Amino acid sequence: MAITRRQLVASAGLLAGGSTAVARTKRGARATPSGFLWGTAISAHQSEGNNTASDSWLLETITPTAFKDPSGDACDSFARYAEDLDIAASLGLNCYRFGIEWARIEPAQGMFSQAALDHYVRVLEACHARGLLPIVTYNHFTVPLWFAMRGGFEVADGADLFARFCERATARLGSLIGMASTFNEANILGLRKVLPRFASDAAAENARAMIAAAARRTNAPRFSSMLFGDPDKINTVMLDAHAKGLAAIKAGPGSFPAGVTLTMQEIQGVGPGNRAAWAEETMYSGWIEAARSSDFVGVQTYSRLRINDRGLMPSEPGVPLTDMGYENYPSAIGATIRYAAKHIGRPIYLTETGIGTTDDAARAAFIDATVAEVAKCIADGIPVKGYLYWSLLDNFEWTSGYAKQFGLVAVDRRTFKRTPKPSAQVLARHARANRL
Ligand code: BGC
């Protein structure tokens, strides 16, 4: 599908209009700052299906595995992306955050797939054709299998290989990209260190056994996968990879805001001697500074963490839990946006928040609560420029498999038929009213 100049200009206008000027509606309510982005987010591996050249594909299919289900066909979005974009556009959204998959673009080291890049050109063009500003994630946890086999982000030159991927992908796609982030939740391993269950329980043991099995199967003793590797080694290399990747992306072609998205959960210190400061340092370890030198920060918030003098506390009695087992606590969103404003001071996009639940009324309430949180922040003068719900579709929820449902749209696992849920209309109403 050819993209017209008008479509490109219309998309660019969304960005240019990111000022804090607000208009008044007829009823006197405050209209949203012009250029505000309303959207959904998704990742390549979780939706495309058959990402066979990735590290995750091996980990999901090996014995033992930490994954409840293999990703398999996922939502078949590799083939059905136009249908997904049609749904997003029909909801009145004006942006779409998705991933390009390194394992498809560089399936063997140094061998770049023209066909894979052409595919993403088509996806980008399809976004513009529907008035959806494409927000591209260059890495959303998965890496090519060859990259994991040589040590992933635990070896220093992993940063250079990531930067080369960024450069090659930007060379082909840059002129169509609306915004981009190097990494999704670059600090995810910092969060993992704060959550003790990952370090101690049977799931962690199982994950270690899975990585050992992958190392044996591939005859790669240094096998390292981002979500399961050594947090300290990986963090150092990823900070370098972000800096180099960002420079490669900024070199163009294309001239669009480029940044990073962070997992940002509200940290509440409880009681004397609480370790909230430790939790903050551990969760962000270097990424607040990295975000400060990016064009924007993507805030991604799902809940709060209460921290006492021993570390993470169990959930508070009386606070409802999501199906993920953590608290349904939407006011954490306002808290993390304020934290980002104070400590990072760059334009803020709420690039992810959502709720894993089979109770769609709870999802609708969560969306309303999110909008209220964003509105309060904007009223206080914080430069929040967009809100993207995770996720458009029920998709592959990593180790939890397909049972956990974050989507506005259900996906039949056999036919891939998409069925929007009532909560999709709740987001649509907010987007159409464009009022915060
Ligand atoms: C990740 C997504 C994930 C979502 C819900 C975020 O941490 O970026 O990949 O599906 O949370 O758990």
Side-chain angles (χ1 to χ4, degrees):
M1 188 188 308
I3 166 172
T4 66
R5 195 177 147 65
R6 192 179 57 78
Q7 286 156 348
L8 253 181
V9 171
S11 292
L14 284 171
L15 286 172
S19 77
T20 49
V22 290
R24 298 270 161 190
T25 66
K26 261 192 270 166
R27 284 161 37 218
R30 242 150 67 120
T32 304
S34 66
F36 190 85
L37 296 179
W38 296 90
T40 59
I42 206 154
S43 81
H45 186 76
Q46 292 173 272
S47 64
E48 286 178 345
N50 298 297
N51 187 16
T52 56
S54 68
D55 60 336
S56 199
W57 186 267
L58 173 65
L59 300 180
E60 293 157 22
T61 52
I62 207 167
T63 307
T65 180
F67 289 83
K68 288 214 165 61
D69 303 313
S71 54
D73 287 324
C75 307
D76 194 28
S77 291
F78 192 81
R80 293 168 202 258
Y81 65 88
E83 202 182 324
D84 297 343
L85 296 174
D86 282 343
I87 297 172
S90 77
L91 299 177
L93 306 177
N94 59 11
C95 72
Y96 191 78
R97 175 170 175 255
F98 68 99
I100 54 173
E101 185 57 53
W102 185 4
R104 290 187 195 276
I105 293 175
E106 191 180 0
Q109 185 170 355
M111 196 190 96
F112 289 84
S113 164
Q114 191 59 36
L117 287 164
D118 288 349
H119 168 79
Y120 291 117
V121 166
R122 289 190 290 274
V123 178
L124 288 161
E125 287 178 345
C127 287
H128 288 288
R130 290 162 179 77
L132 297 165
L133 185 82
I135 304 181
V136 171
T137 308
Y138 278 65
N139 177 279
H140 196 125
F141 302 156
T142 48
V143 296
L145 180 60
W146 62 261
F147 184 77
M149 285 169 60
R150 68 188 299 291
F153 287 110
E154 290 188 35
V155 292
D157 65 350
D160 303 301
L161 291 169
F162 177 69
R164 183 176 65 170
F165 155 67
C166 291
E167 182 197 320
R168 294 292 291 259
T170 309
R172 180 79 178 102
L173 309 175
S175 58
L176 291 166
I177 291 177
M179 278 176 67
S181 64
T182 51
F183 287 108
N184 173 71
E185 299 192 343
N187 60 328
I188 184 74
L189 291 178
L191 174 63
R192 202 181 85 182
K193 282 173 78 176
V194 178
L195 305 178
R197 71 172 188 274
F198 282 101
S200 54
D201 68 6
E205 188 40 54
N206 195 31
R208 268 193 292 276
M210 170 183 72
I211 296 297
R216 278 196 304 276
R217 167 83 69 85
T218 55
N219 197 19
R222 292 196 300 183
F223 191 100
S224 169
S225 202
M226 188 192 291
L227 290 178
F228 305 98
D230 177 322
D232 298 322
K233 281 192 199 156
I234 290 183
N235 202 53
T236 310
V237 179
M238 274 180 59
L239 281 163
D240 189 32
H242 164 71
K244 290 175 172 161
L246 194 68
I249 293 169
K250 292 299 284 181
S255 169
F256 49 86
V260 63
T261 80
L262 301 180
T263 176
M264 300 186 72
Q265 313 313 322
E266 179 182 5
I267 292 177
Q268 296 180 352
V270 179
N274 71 67
R275 306 179 66 206
W278 160 83
E280 239 169 62
E281 248 165 61
T282 307
M283 186 162 78
Y284 293 121
S285 46
W287 287 99
I288 294 289
E289 295 73 16
R292 266 186 220 142
S293 47
S294 305
D295 293 333
F296 71 90
V297 60
V299 169
Q300 307 198 166
T301 301
Y302 286 86
S303 195
R304 68 165 174 179
L305 308 175
R306 294 191 315 137
I307 308 283
N308 64 14
D309 55 350
R310 277 162 303 164
L312 186 70
M313 297 169 68
S315 52
E316 189 174 3
V319 177
L321 302 183
T322 73
D323 289 359
M324 297 297 284
Y326 47 70
E327 291 174 336
N328 177 357
Y329 196 80
S331 66
I333 294 161
T336 54
I337 289 174
R338 287 169 206 280
Y339 186 93
K342 180 168 170 206
H343 295 279
I344 300 173
R346 307 295 301 149
I348 293 167
Y349 292 83
L350 184 58
T351 39
E352 275 185 32
T353 186
I355 180 170
T357 181
T358 49
D359 174 1
D360 196 53
R363 187 177 345 275
F366 189 88
I367 291 168
D368 284 340
T370 302
V371 171
E373 290 297 325
V374 171
K376 277 187 268 170
C377 290
I378 291 178
D380 289 348
I382 296 177
V384 190
K385 310 281 193 187
Y387 155 40
L388 291 79
Y389 178 82
W390 178 276
S391 179
L392 181 70
L393 307 176
D394 284 341
N395 59 53
F396 178 66
E397 181 50 32
W398 303 112
T399 51
S400 306
Y402 288 101
K404 301 289 184 272
Q405 299 173 357
F406 282 83
L408 300 170
V409 176
V411 178
D412 185 295
R413 300 260 8 99
R414 210 169 37 84
T415 62
F416 307 111
K417 185 173 174 340
R418 276 89 165 121
T419 308
K421 305 173 190 176
S423 58
Q425 287 311 320
V426 174
L427 182 65
R429 269 199 298 280
H430 286 295
R432 289 207 186 92
N434 191 30
R435 193 177 304 128
L436 277 165

